[in-house]
Structures are given as C-alpha cells and as structure tokens.
Amino acid sequence: MNDNMKSGAFSESLIHRKRGVAGISGDILRIAVRDSFRKLDPRTLVRNPVMFVVEIVAALATVILLRDILAGHPGVGFTAQIAFWLWFTVLFANFAEAVAEGRGKAQAENLRRTRTQTQAKRLADPKGRQFESVSALKLKAGDIVLVEAGDTVPSDGEVIEGIASVDESAITGESAPVIRESGGDRSAVTGGTRVLSDWIKVRITAAPGSTFLDRMIALVEGAVRQKTPNEIALNILLAGMTIIFVFATVTIPSFASFAGGSVPVVVLVALFVTLIPTTIGALLSAIGIAGMDRLVKFNVLAMSGRAVEAAGDVDTLLLDKTGTITLGNRQASEFLPLPGVSERELADAAQLASLSDETPEGRSIVVLAKEKYGLRGREMAPLHATFVPFSAQTRMSGVDLEGASIRKGASDSIIAHVRALNPQIRIPAELNNLVEDVALAGGTPLVVANGARLLGVIHLKDIVKGGIRERFAALRRMGIRTVMITGDNPVTAAAIAAESGVDDFLAQATPEDKLALIRKEQANGKLVAMCGDGTNDAPALAQADVGVAMQTGTQAAREAGNMVDLDSDPTKLIEVVMIGKQLLITRGALTTFSIANDVAKYFAIIPAMFAAFYPSLNILNVMHLQTPQSAILSAIIFNAFIIIALIPLALRGVRYRPQTAGRLLFRNLMIYGVGGVVVPFIGIKLIDIVISAVGLA
Ligand SMILES: Nc1ncnc2c1ncn2[C@@H]1O[C@H](COP(=O)(O)OP(=O)(O)OP(=O)(O)O)[C@@H](O)[C@H]1O
Ligand SMILES: [K+]
Ligand SMILES: [Mg+2]
C-alpha cells in the first residue's frame, strides 16, 4: 500500500510520531498486560458473549478444582491445568483487545500534552479590541475572542474577522502554516493550534470539553468506540454457535453413561471451550480497533467504525471542486468588460459589490480593483448601502445603494436575475464568449450587473491540487467512480474535470442537488463517499455513507462528516477504502480460520474422551496423541495460544490487493479455511509431544 502513497501529503503526525518500529512499545505491552486482568471484570466482559462464557466455565473449573483439593481427590493436577488454561484463554483475549487499544491510548497521551492551559482574550465588544483574559476552559459557544500572533487558539470556532497564518501541527502534524480567514470555506480554527502572524477574531463554536481536540483524544483512546452493526451481527452468530455447543456438550454424559462410563465435568468444559469460536471471539474487537488505528496513522479520524466498514465497499466518490479538487484559494485575476463598458467602470462596480463580501473571492476582487486601478475601498455607511451576502442557493452576492443595485455571481444566476428585472433583455453574445473563455481555462467566471445592465465578467483563478490525476486513476482501478459536484458552471466544471481526471461531473449544483445526487446513488444500492469542505457540503457529508470532511474546511462540514482528513487530501479516500477492505477481509479470514479450527479439535478430543468405552471410535484417533488427558490439554492449550499467535495478524490486517471479489473469496477460503483445518492438527500434535515429554500429562 505504501507504494501508492503520494509523498509529502502523508506527513507523520504528532500522534503517531513516537512509535517504535513495530508500532508497539514495551510500555504498551506492560499496560496491556495490566489491562488484561482488569478486563476480567464480568461487567465489561459481558459485551463479548463468547469470552464471557469462557470466563464462566473457567470459574466453574476453578470451583471444581477447589472442591477436589478439599476432598483430597486424585488427579487434581489435570483439573488445575484445565482451569489454568481456561483463565489464560480469557486473559489472552483481553490482551488482544488491550494491545489494540494501547496504541491509541499512547497517542491520546501525546495529544493531552498538547492541550495546554490557554488563556483567551475575550472581547466584550466584537467590534473593538478591548479584551479580558479568561481561561480557555471558561469559554462558551458564542463568545468572541481575539487571537494574535504567538497566541494559541483557545477553542474551536469560526473566524469572523481578519486573516492569519496558523500553525496546525499540534493537530495535523503538518508543519507548513495554513491560512485561516473569515467568510468562505477556510474559516474554521481548531483549539490548540497557534496563530503565527496577524490576528483574527473568532466566534467560539464548541462547548468546553467537546472541542475537536477532546473528541480526537476520546476517539484514539477508544472511549467512543461503538460496535458496528456488522460486528453486532457477527457477535450474535458467535453467541448462537456457543449455545448450540452448550447443548451438544451437555448431551455427551448421557452417551457416556449409555456405554457405562462417565466423563468428568472438567473434560466437558474443556471440550466445550475448544469447540466454541473463541479465536474470532477473542480477536473481533481488536480487529475493529486496529482498523480505526490504521486510519489515524494516515491522518484520517474516523468518528465511527461503521464508516470504516462502509469505506471498504464504496462504489462512488463525490467531490466538491473548490477546496477539494482545487487548492480552494480562488482569486480574482482580471476584469473583462462588455463592449461599451470601461474596465474601470466594471472594476469599480465589482469592488463596490464586494466591499462587505467576506469570502476570499470577495476580498480578492477588492484587492485587484485597488491594485490595478487604484480604487480605494469606500466607507459603506454614508452610501446607505445594504449588502446582499453570497449564498450557495442564489450563487450571487452584491449591494443595493441609492441609484445602483449591483450583483455579481454565477453567470446563469445573474442572467436569471437581470431577466427577472427586464424580461425583454437581450443577452449579448460577447458575454457568453467572455464567460466561456474564463471557463475553458478552468477559471470561475463571475458576471457583474448593475440593475438589469450587464457590465462584464470577473475571472477567478484556482489551481488543481498536485498529483490528483494519478490518484483518481488508482480509484478507477479499485472500481470506484469519481464524480465532481460543483456550484460552478458546466464549462469550468468540464475544464477542471478534464484536468483532474474525474470520471464524471455535475455542475451548477446547489447543496440540495448534492444531497439529491447522493440519495439517488444510494437508492440504486450504491455506497457513496463524499469529500467536501464547505458549509454547503454539510448536508451531503451527513447523508453519504462515508463523509470525509477536509480539516481545512468549515466547522459545519467537519461536524457533518463521519471522518476528518487532517491532510485535506480528497484522494486519501484510496487509503480509507483499502483500510476498510482490509478490515472486512481480516474479519472474514479470521472467522473462517476460527471455525475451521474446530474440525481438528474434534479429532483430538472426541476419540480421547470415548476411547475407553467406545473402542470403535479409535478410527477417529488419527492424531495418535499420547494419552486422553494429554489430548485434551493439548487442544485447550492450542486454543489459548492461537489467540496470541493471531494478534499480529488481527492488528496488521490481511493484505488487500485490488482483485475481483470472487478471487479474493477463493483465495481466503484456501488460506484461512484450509489453513484453519491443518494448523491445529500440527499444533496440537506438537503440544502433545512437548507436554508428554515434560511430564505434564
Ligand atoms: N463571493 C461570491 N459572490 C458571488 N458569487 C459567488 C461568490 N463565490 C462564489 N460565487 C459563485 O457561486 C458559485 C457556487 O459557489 P460555491 O462556493 O457555493 O460552490 P460549491 O457548490 O461549493 O462548489 P465548488 O466548491 O466545487 O466550487 C460559484 O461557482 C461562483 O459562480
Ligand atoms: K475454540
Ligand atoms: Mg465548495
């Protein structure tokens, strides 16, 4: 998988920088050993039905052992060993989960260290700069704070004024500073990051204790992990198998007494435990945790395990254009007037319409007019102006003042607007030419009109993110269709689609259109992933099966999605999908292995149990184990150790290579099904030889 990674985009994040080569340090192992004992608490273990049952029978075996010791029974040593290995089966299962959690816990520790005690500069008057110093923990949603160069952002919020470069490395591990500014899709700031230059005023959006950093800590720590529907279903299946084996086991004494013998309870207990699906029961939760953990390594935070699973089966990926496929810093680059309009007149109108436009686009228009024509921003108050803010629905913005009503926006929106004012209007062919020229170059044309009079076009430029084409090709090879969905016009969309290599695009889309497209795909049985950064992407991010919000995006987007990409790289979905597939495959493979294991255990235990009174069963004794006792012990020891042996595979995951589902299934059945039958024969035989040699049985 590493070969597919685009270098640079996947910076080592702080949260996993301190890991050893194997990813598991001695510290983690020590804590995991301690936690294995803690997890014996039946109140927590009950969530894992198979292991809970093993704990009950281990307790039962222990009671029998104590009774036998007190009664002075012979053969106490055998009972003691069975009880011992049963407890170890539970401990090994707990250890698997604890090791999986341990990596996250260590990461959480590192994150906690970055959550220093910050003082906030709370503004009494949002317009002014008079502040009182308060503890960051005292900030409520809605408070306005000033953050200046050198200050740590005290909590999550939206920039309402100003522009600053921010060091987000505490969260993302990426050391290059990012720009945060009011308006637009780059307005979100995260508590714990640091302003490097300039200043911003931030409206706090998070309640104390539920900031992004808090959620991130809870997440990597596993505090918020819930079982996914698939995991619950598998658990029910495993519990069902366990019940069947309870019945199977309790009928055995009657067979034995029929033949005039009797089977000791500890032997029944041992048989039962080896037959129930303990291997997958022990590893199931570790597999899930490891999946989330692998995503964190790629700087993707998954808010739910369900999203990771869904990622494994994604058919369609929708992406917003600006800020997702392109860098998202749309800047005005030229004014293109219609015949009969001077460039200066157009620039002046455009600037007037943008003076209160807090989006990056709006600000860049003001700046360009000033740079090219020396037009100064005017005081708005004396003009009695009403500002019409940009919205993703109207796709235009502007200003109404005495004697003028200026609008700028997407060409179809402005044309509809002037037509509504003057139904007789003739749209000049030159306008279409200008719009098309900009769009063909991949730029965003904004048409400017004063009343019903069309003035010209502003060219907004943006740049497609590097390396994106190859990554979309990789997604195509994985069978995932990419669709760009943008509020921009069809020609710009086509130009960017061609440049970036997406499979399809939808232009002039409103937030509702984005949502509708996702619903349509889902209605056709497709699993949909969506990458977006804007507030207008939020409904779609919430509706998608996998909603990946860009870390650079707005607060609304980051809250709506079920994953956040700290590197803001939409093509990261490749890794997300691979990790999802890997999770599904690993779970399937280990379930197959676990159940196939039982076959071998029948051959080990059944002949050993009945050999004395059903000599004909000896034909089943293909393994030729030393004694019945050693056969039973070997099976139970194998059963416990296979859990430990498979922990690395559960954590690392079974490798995924793009291939058809059929071939994948066949391959896994061969490896884990056949392997699951063969391995215990060898393992049990070896353990039998060893324990007979050392005289344990
Ligand atoms: N500040 C603004 N004032 C007027 N019109 C704007 C402004 N910003 C954008 N527009 C117009 O509105 C259209 C939709 O913009 P928006 O940012 O909502 O797009 P989107 O749906 O997020 O898609 P994408 O992010 O892919 O461009 C833009 O293509 C542009 O024509
Ligand atoms: K078992
Ligand atoms: Mg957008």
Side-chain angles (χ1 to χ4, degrees), residues 70-197:
L70 292 178
H73 268 281
V76 170
F78 177 70
T79 309
Q81 287 184 65
I82 296 279
F84 178 86
W85 287 114
L86 288 179
W87 282 113
F88 266 87
T89 309
V90 184
L91 285 171
F92 287 171
N94 289 349
F95 182 71
E97 187 179 74
V99 172
E101 284 170 353
R103 310 212 275 187
K105 284 200 175 130
Q107 292 159 8
E109 262 326 295
N110 284 338
L111 280 175
R112 277 217 182 79
R113 247 170 265 145
T114 70
R115 192 174 55 176
T116 43
Q117 275 290 356
T118 343
Q119 287 295 110
K121 296 173 174 170
R122 187 164 64 191
L123 298 173
D125 168 21
K127 296 262 177 292
R129 299 194 68 162
Q130 268 315 43
F131 62 82
E132 51 165 342
S133 199
V134 296
S135 157
L137 296 171
K138 290 234 168 68
L139 290 177
K140 299 182 305 296
D143 282 350
I144 313 281
V145 297
L146 175 69
V147 193
E148 295 174 294
D151 293 349
T152 299
V153 178
S155 185
D156 301 350
E158 298 271 359
V159 179
I160 54 164
E161 199 186 325
I163 173 166
S165 66
V166 179
D167 172 5
E168 293 199 335
S169 59
I171 302 282
T172 62
E174 173 62 65
S175 54
V178 292
I179 299 294
R180 289 286 173 263
E181 58 190 337
S182 58
D185 290 347
R186 298 190 299 174
S187 59
V189 286
T190 309
T193 60
R194 218 160 49 84
V195 168
L196 295 174
S197 68

Side-chain angles (χ1 to χ4, degrees), residues 575-656:
E575 277 73 28
V576 175
V577 168
M578 295 243 239
I579 289 168
K581 285 198 194 291
Q582 206 178 22
L583 172 78
L584 298 176
I585 295 169
T586 306
R587 193 150 63 203
L590 289 178
T591 305
T592 312
F593 187 88
S594 180
I595 291 170
N597 255 240
D598 289 346
V599 178
K601 290 175 201 151
Y602 276 107
F603 282 96
I605 293 195
I606 304 280
M609 259 170 54
F610 291 111
F613 26 91
Y614 282 123
S616 60
L617 274 177
N618 239 332
I619 53 160
L620 283 181
N621 191 6
V622 289
M623 295 172 87
H624 298 292
L625 302 174
Q626 307 289 332
T627 64
Q629 288 201 333
S630 126
I632 291 162
L633 263 181
S634 305
I636 199 108
I637 294 174
F638 175 84
N639 192 58
F641 271 104
I642 194 71
I643 296 172
I644 294 284
L646 290 174
I647 290 177
L649 183 63
L651 295 187
R652 191 169 21 89
V654 173
R655 252 188 79 176
Y656 164 73

Side-chain angles (χ1 to χ4, degrees), residues 531-596:
C531 289
D533 68 334
T535 301
N536 60 345
D537 299 320
L541 284 169
Q543 175 68 30
D545 301 285
V546 183
V548 188
M550 303 291 104
Q551 161 73 7
T552 55
T554 61
Q555 215 64 262
R558 294 197 305 177
E559 266 159 38
N562 47 22
M563 292 190 192
V564 175
D565 180 15
L566 297 176
D567 295 328
S568 303
D569 174 359
T571 68
K572 195 79 84 57
L573 203 86
I574 294 178
E575 277 73 28
V576 175
V577 168
M578 295 243 239
I579 289 168
K581 285 198 194 291
Q582 206 178 22
L583 172 78
L584 298 176
I585 295 169
T586 306
R587 193 150 63 203
L590 289 178
T591 305
T592 312
F593 187 88
S594 180
I595 291 170

Side-chain angles (χ1 to χ4, degrees), residues 185 320-324 330 485-487 514 532-537:
D185 290 347
D320 145 268
K321 174 174 71 74
T322 310
T324 306
R330 275 196 293 217
I485 179 157
T486 172
K514 298 189 184 193
D533 68 334
T535 301
N536 60 345
D537 299 320

Side-chain angles (χ1 to χ4, degrees), residues 20 75 80 100 102 122-123 126 141 149 157 181 251 348 372 421 470 507 509 530 573 606 611 619 666 681:
R122 187 164 64 191
L123 298 173
E181 58 190 337
T251 57
D348 187 57
K372 270 192 133 167
L421 294 176
E470 298 73 38
M530 160 90 195
L573 203 86
I606 304 280
I619 53 160
F666 178 74
F681 274 99

